[in-house]
Amino acid sequence: MRPETPPPPPTADSWHVTEDLDAFLSQAGTFLRSRPDLHTLVLTVVETLRNGGARTYGDQAPWFGVLEEAGQVRAACFRTPPHRLVTTALTPAQADALAARLLALGRPVSGVNAVRETADAFAASWSRRTGATTGPRPHGTRLHRLAALTPPDPAPPGRARIAGQADRELLALWFGEFQEAIGEPGRQDAGAWTDTRLAYGGLTLWETPDGTPVSMAGISPLLAGMIRVAPVYTPAPLRRRGYAAAVTTAITRTALDRGADQLLLFTDLANPTSNALYQRLGYVPVADFTAYDFTAYDFTAYDFTAYDFTEPS
């Protein structure tokens, strides 16, 4: 029996780029739902755009990309300018083809966020093709999936409750502080973010016995059997008292009650305390993600007629 002929390497034309969210979901939806854990970022952001509108993350229109090879969707990506490109896992050849396609379309990117190997490959291709300087952010993130919930014992005094409209001001304040803490100040409007989460009961507070809120946790809506815990935040003066573990346990139970088959969360690799905490609660590592930032590139000076679409040597 003759060995199967391998498919041809991807080219820039293998990537289809659109600003039509419905068309993107029609083409890539089945692929994205096939691995809701690894595709959690794309699934949740796209759902937020679908519900909140195209300008949820900024004043510029978002765009989306789908990679097709031999009639099958193999990868997907999106960008909500001015934020980084987010893509599902790619081979080095697929990453280079994406860089080529974006350059040919005159679509600059400010960076990339993906599983580590994909982010490394795309950043290398972007730098090679444009001369732009690329550099990873100081700390990557690790995606975790719940195996079996192990509540803290003992739990701190107090109780959990689902947040309501009366908590809106505090929640928006804390979300703004959370964005500052992770180095993404103002990435989302804190008030709008809070309103969206409150609308589906997506925020939980841990409060002390006297009713004082001391920690919060959020969850994404149920998508493809997946819910992601994000964010978990405790103000600095109240940390190391077990509140984060308690509120995470409470919101994990809420997510399971809502039918989640896969419960996910991201941790900062530079924070051994939080990584150890979530693993004690029963979350196990799935994959590491890396974000790169790129220097600006002058597309008006680029000679597209001389563009090199060949594979990297």
Side-chain angles (χ1 to χ4, degrees), residues 184-199:
E184 299 280 357
R187 185 176 189 274
Q188 284 185 263
D189 178 80
W193 177 90
T194 302
D195 290 338
T196 298
R197 294 294 175 109
L198 288 174

Side-chain angles (χ1 to χ4, degrees), residues 99 103 120-135 294 297:
L103 281 168
D120 292 346
F122 183 85
S125 291
W126 191 259
S127 178
R128 180 180 67 85
R129 290 182 176 275
T130 67
T133 300
T134 66
F294 304 157
Y297 182 75

Side-chain angles (χ1 to χ4, degrees), residues 276-298:
L277 163 65
Y278 296 122
Q279 291 184 39
R280 286 197 302 272
L281 295 179
Y283 285 86
V284 297
V286 175
D288 290 350
F289 283 65
T290 298
Y292 277 80
D293 291 322
F294 304 157
T295 56
Y297 182 75
D298 182 8

Side-chain angles (χ1 to χ4, degrees), residues 138 141 143 182:
T141 57
L143 176 66
I182 64 171

Side-chain angles (χ1 to χ4, degrees), residues 38-52:
L38 291 179
H39 302 162
T40 179
L41 288 174
V42 184
L43 284 166
T44 52
V45 169
V46 165
E47 181 69 7
T48 299
L49 291 169
R50 193 175 68 83
N51 290 322

Side-chain angles (χ1 to χ4, degrees), residues 3-290:
E4 292 186 9
T5 302
T11 67
D13 289 336
S14 303
W15 281 95
H16 309 282
V17 177
T18 180
E19 293 185 3
D20 187 330
L21 176 57
D22 291 335
F24 170 73
L25 286 173
S26 177
Q27 189 175 13
T30 299
F31 165 77
L32 292 172
R33 291 189 294 273
S34 69
R35 282 300 304 268
D37 53 350
L38 291 179
H39 302 162
T40 179
L41 288 174
V42 184
L43 284 166
T44 52
V45 169
V46 165
E47 181 69 7
T48 299
L49 291 169
R50 193 175 68 83
N51 290 322
R55 298 303 191 269
T56 300
Y57 293 96
D59 294 333
Q60 301 178 56
W63 52 261
F64 314 91
V66 178
L67 173 67
E68 281 197 359
E69 295 178 317
Q72 297 292 318
V73 174
R74 302 297 187 189
C77 68
F78 74 86
R79 187 178 182 222
T80 53
H83 308 296
R84 303 178 194 93
L85 171 73
V86 174
T87 180
T88 61
L90 305 172
T91 66
Q94 292 169 341
D96 191 63
L98 176 57
R101 183 60 168 165
L102 297 181
L103 281 168
L105 293 173
R107 289 188 180 271
V109 293
S110 58
V112 64
N113 185 13
V115 292
R116 179 181 293 164
E117 297 81 2
T118 295
D120 292 346
F122 183 85
S125 291
W126 191 259
S127 178
R128 180 180 67 85
R129 290 182 176 275
T130 67
T133 300
T134 66
R137 290 181 63 81
H139 310 300
T141 57
R142 177 163 291 162
L143 176 66
H144 292 74
R145 179 175 54 233
L146 181 69
L149 181 62
T150 305
D153 185 18
R159 68 182 185 94
R161 65 173 175 84
I162 294 178
Q165 194 62 36
D167 305 301
R168 182 183 185 277
E169 183 177 352
L170 176 65
L171 294 165
L173 172 66
W174 281 1
F175 182 65
E177 292 176 356
F178 171 79
Q179 291 190 103
E180 290 278 353
I182 64 171
E184 299 280 357
R187 185 176 189 274
Q188 284 185 263
D189 178 80
W193 177 90
T194 302
D195 290 338
T196 298
R197 294 294 175 109
L198 288 174
Y200 62 84
L203 291 167
T204 290
L205 289 166
W206 186 267
E207 55 185 22
T208 57
D210 66 359
T212 302
V214 290
S215 189
M216 77 167 182
I219 50 174
S220 63
L222 180 66
L223 291 169
M226 172 272 299
I227 288 178
R228 191 169 80 249
V229 176
V232 177
Y233 180 72
T234 306
L238 300 173
R239 293 172 190 167
R240 300 187 181 278
R241 305 183 191 185
Y243 298 145
V247 76
T248 301
T249 298
I251 208 162
T252 296
R253 286 173 169 152
T254 296
L256 292 171
D257 288 344
R258 293 182 183 183
D261 298 319
Q262 296 193 55
L263 196 53
L264 311 170
L265 58 78
F266 281 99
T267 60
D268 183 347
L269 283 172
N271 189 335
T273 300
S274 65
N275 280 272
L277 163 65
Y278 296 122
Q279 291 184 39
R280 286 197 302 272
L281 295 179
Y283 285 86
V284 297
V286 175
D288 290 350
F289 283 65
T290 298

